[in-house]
């Protein structure tokens, strides 16, 4: 993928006297933040609990929540730089908005919380659009298709959830659509929950569960990159979409973001993003199936 040079900077600006505890931030070409607690500068935050588009521009920095351990969508590479499909979009947003980017390492379970508490302005962390989430955050236009999938070891491939025994446990990540879907539709299936992608991956590799349910893009990538595993269920439930999200009610930022996505879509930006960040993992056959070019 295209590498974005990263320079470390320290967030320490006071804007209109409103400053939360800052962490080492990342500009649009910044080194990955070594902090994993998601702390972020809340400079110029409005009384509504979020920063408007003008406040973000005035501060010169936008706080964007991304995954730091979920290759190829959001991760920290061998040079300590944020990279991946979502980060490729984040870099373009920062460039077109004319501000630096402060990347905030985000877990699936705290994406909504980080928006609601003002730790981030935008979430770009493989965020699946659901009706329940739309009651708590405002989603922008989608840029990717996704469904759920289930991966299991080659020696005991799970091709149907009916294959699971009474004592079998399925690994999920807390706060994901996989957890919600299985809890709602298959309440008898035992779920082994982890907060972080890396923790779930390690637990699965250690045999702590008979299968791992997650977005199908992620389990397909895992099976491709790790020998000995098969995606026995490539599509589970309905097909959904991935989209950026902003704090509920942040209309100025949402409007700008939707206009930006439409403009990028007209340029086939997300096909270019796929070819730069996902092609090596999924190949050309999945491109048109996964990529969404936003339009009005």
């Amino acid at each position: 993928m295209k590498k974005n040079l990263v320079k470390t900077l320290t967030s320490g600006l006071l804007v209109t006297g409103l400053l939360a505890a800052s962490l080492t931030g990342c500009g649009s070409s910044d080194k990955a933040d070594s902090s994993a607690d998601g702390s972020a500068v809340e400079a110029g935050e409005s009384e509504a609990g979020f920063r408007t588009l003008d406040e973000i521009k005035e501060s010169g920095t936008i706080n964007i929540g991304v995954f730091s351990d979920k290759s190829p969508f959001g991760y920290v590479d061998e040079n300590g730089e944020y990279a991946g499909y979502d980060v490729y979009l984040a870099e373009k947003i920062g460039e077109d908005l004319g501000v630096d980017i402060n990347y905030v390492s985000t877990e699936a379970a705290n994406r909504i919380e980080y928006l609601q508490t003002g730790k981030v302005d935008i979430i770009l962390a493989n965020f699946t659009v659901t009706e329940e989430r739309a009651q708590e955050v405002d989603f922008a236009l989608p840029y990717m298709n996704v469904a759920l999938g289930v991966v299991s070891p080659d020696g005991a491939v799970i091709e149907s959830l009916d294959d699971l025994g009474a004592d079998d446990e399925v690994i999920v990540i807390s706060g994901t659509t996989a957890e919600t879907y299985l809890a709602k539709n298959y309440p008898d299936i035992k779920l082994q929950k982890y907060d972080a992608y890396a923790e779930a991956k390690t637990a699965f590799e250690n045999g702590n569960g008979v299968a791992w349910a997650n977005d199908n893009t992620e389990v397909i990538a895992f099976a491709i990159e790790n020998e000995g595993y098969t995606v026995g269920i490539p599509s589970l439930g309905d097909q959904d979409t991935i989209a950026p999200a902003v704090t509920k009610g942040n209309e100025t930022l949402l409007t700008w973001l939707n206009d930006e996505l439409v403009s990028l879509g007209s340029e086939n930006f997300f096909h270019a993003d796929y070819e730069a960040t996902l092609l090596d993992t999924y190949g050309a056959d999945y491109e048109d199936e996964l990529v969404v070019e936003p339009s009005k």
Side-chain angles (χ1 to χ4, degrees):
M1 62 168 285
K2 296 178 180 177
K3 296 290 184 179
N4 297 304
L5 298 178
V6 177
K7 296 180 180 177
T8 304
L9 58 87
T10 303
S11 299
L13 298 176
L14 291 175
V15 180
T16 65
L18 297 176
L19 177 65
S22 63
L23 49 78
T24 301
C26 305
S28 59
S29 299
D30 297 336
K31 286 284 183 184
D33 184 357
S34 59
S35 172
D37 66 357
S39 301
V41 178
E42 296 172 9
E45 185 177 307
S46 69
E47 293 181 1
F50 54 75
R51 301 195 305 162
T52 65
L53 180 65
D54 286 343
E55 288 169 338
I56 292 168
K57 288 181 176 180
E58 288 172 6
S59 76
T61 301
I62 186 167
N63 303 315
I64 300 182
V66 296
F67 288 127
S68 60
D69 62 355
K70 192 171 290 186
S71 176
F73 299 96
Y75 63 99
V76 176
D77 67 15
E78 64 276 7
N79 297 315
E81 301 173 359
Y82 276 99
Y85 187 76
D86 291 336
V87 176
Y88 190 100
L89 171 58
E91 291 288 310
K92 185 61 173 173
I93 288 172
E95 176 186 335
D96 290 349
L97 194 55
V99 298
D100 292 330
I101 301 172
N102 177 52
Y103 284 116
V104 180
S105 178
T106 305
E107 306 290 357
N110 60 28
R111 290 174 294 194
I112 292 175
E113 174 195 344
Y114 280 12
L115 285 172
Q116 292 177 334
T117 57
K119 289 184 177 179
V120 299
D121 302 303
I122 297 175
I123 284 287
L124 288 178
N126 225 216
F127 209 9
T128 303
V129 178
T130 68
E131 291 182 4
E132 293 80 7
R133 288 170 175 169
Q135 295 175 7
E136 300 186 82
V137 302
D138 283 337
F139 284 104
L141 295 169
Y143 59 90
M144 193 172 194
N145 291 316
V146 68
L148 297 179
V150 179
V151 62
S152 46
D154 286 348
V157 178
I158 302 298
E159 296 183 343
S160 168
L161 294 180
D162 295 333
D163 295 341
L164 296 171
D167 296 325
D168 290 338
E169 295 189 9
V170 176
I171 291 172
V172 296
I173 301 172
S174 298
T176 60
T177 48
E179 177 196 13
T180 303
Y181 177 84
L182 292 176
K184 178 180 179 180
N185 295 286
Y186 296 89
D188 294 334
I189 293 179
K190 295 181 179 179
L191 302 180
Q192 194 173 127
K193 303 177 184 180
Y194 295 89
D195 289 333
Y197 180 90
E199 293 173 352
K201 178 178 180 290
T202 299
F204 181 54
E205 291 173 336
N206 289 339
N208 292 9
V210 300
W212 181 11
N214 207 342
D215 288 352
N216 61 353
T217 51
E218 293 166 14
V219 296
I220 290 170
F222 174 85
I224 290 173
E225 295 170 354
N226 298 272
E227 291 185 5
Y229 298 94
T230 297
V231 179
I233 306 177
S235 183
L236 181 67
D238 297 330
Q239 179 166 283
D240 295 308
T241 56
I242 301 293
V246 302
T247 308
K248 197 74 175 174
N250 195 348
E251 295 182 2
T252 57
L253 181 56
L254 182 64
T255 297
W256 181 91
L257 186 54
N258 277 330
D259 288 343
E260 170 77 350
L261 291 168
V262 170
S263 176
L264 295 178
S266 68
E267 303 169 2
N268 284 328
F269 171 87
F270 291 94
H271 278 79
D273 188 350
Y274 181 99
E275 291 166 11
T277 62
L278 304 185
L279 187 63
D280 288 346
T281 299
Y282 298 110
D285 291 343
Y286 281 99
E287 183 169 349
D288 288 335
E289 180 179 340
L290 294 177
V291 172
V292 174
E293 296 291 356
S295 61
K296 290 183 178 180

